[in-house]
Amino acid sequence: ILLLTFLTVFLALPVFAGIEIRGGTNFNTIISNGDTTPRTTDGTDFGDVTIPGSKTVSFQIKATGSQELITGITEDGAAWSIESGSGFGNLPAGSTPTFTVKMDPTSAGYKTATISIIASTGIYTFKVEGQGLGDPEIVVRGQILPGISFISISDGDTSPRPDDGTSFGSRGVSDGSISHTFQIEN
């Protein structure tokens, strides 16, 4: 007789019985509890945020079980804040309130945080990230006539305008030259 012994191994996945968190377009993507891989599809990757500036993204809490008590929502990153919906109280089954996370970097570089939803049945967490983009290295300004204020020209501007000196208008070959003054500030 051959005796076979089977060993069953269970993979421990962070399962949460009372709620699920959704992000992305129309909140159609479930963000797993304990998710540490931010993605643009679920809204957890905020992308590039120019300094000064900020970006907000909304997420949805869906009560999947019976009534769930949400006592708070927190974040642990310096560039991050919970802008709305930080405490919901009792959520009836099937309810879908939202909360908003804001990234407001003050320095360049990648910024991350863990968002924690504190519920009566445990803590649901997921990671968010984004990149703060610093100020440009130079500022360019244009002037059309002496004595008139210089006007800033945006980086990548492809629309010549008379007021910032980037449009020289039309002139015939025999009409002579036109000159405009530009400043470059480092």
Side-chain angles (χ1 to χ4, degrees), residues 49-53 105-109 132-139 155 186:
V49 178
T50 303
I51 301 167
T106 57
S107 62
L133 298 179
D135 292 330
E137 293 180 19
I138 63 171
V139 175
D155 183 24
N186 189 359

Side-chain angles (χ1 to χ4, degrees), residues 43-49 55-57 59 80 101 103 128-130:
T44 55
D45 183 341
F46 281 52
D48 296 337
V49 178
K55 181 176 182 179
T56 58
V57 174
F59 297 95
W80 303 89
V101 177
M103 180 187 172
V128 291
E129 75 177 9

Side-chain angles (χ1 to χ4, degrees), residues 12-22 29-37 39 42 44 114-119 121-127:
L13 295 175
V15 177
F16 207 87
I19 62 172
E20 65 186 21
I21 306 301
R22 295 174 171 261
T29 305
I30 296 173
I31 303 166
S32 299
N33 184 22
D35 188 356
T36 59
T37 309
R39 297 174 187 82
D42 64 12
T44 55
T114 299
I115 306 301
S116 300
I117 297 90
I118 300 112
T121 53
I123 299 176
Y124 196 111
T125 64
F126 62 93
K127 183 178 176 182

Side-chain angles (χ1 to χ4, degrees), residues 72-139:
I73 302 172
T74 64
E75 46 67 33
D76 67 358
W80 303 89
S81 61
I82 306 301
E83 287 297 297
S84 64
S86 61
F88 294 104
N90 287 316
L91 299 182
S95 63
T96 56
T98 62
F99 66 96
T100 303
V101 177
K102 180 178 181 180
M103 180 187 172
D104 189 7
T106 57
S107 62
Y110 278 95
K111 312 296 178 190
T112 63
T114 299
I115 306 301
S116 300
I117 297 90
I118 300 112
S120 56
T121 53
I123 299 176
Y124 196 111
T125 64
F126 62 93
K127 183 178 176 182
V128 291
E129 75 177 9
Q131 177 173 289
L133 298 179
D135 292 330
E137 293 180 19
I138 63 171
V139 175

Side-chain angles (χ1 to χ4, degrees), residues 143-168:
Q143 179 187 51
I144 55 171
L145 296 171
I148 295 179
S149 296
F150 281 89
I151 296 178
S152 292
I153 301 167
S154 299
D155 183 24
D157 186 351
T158 60
S159 302
R161 301 182 349 219
D163 64 337
D164 66 9
T166 55
S167 175
F168 286 78

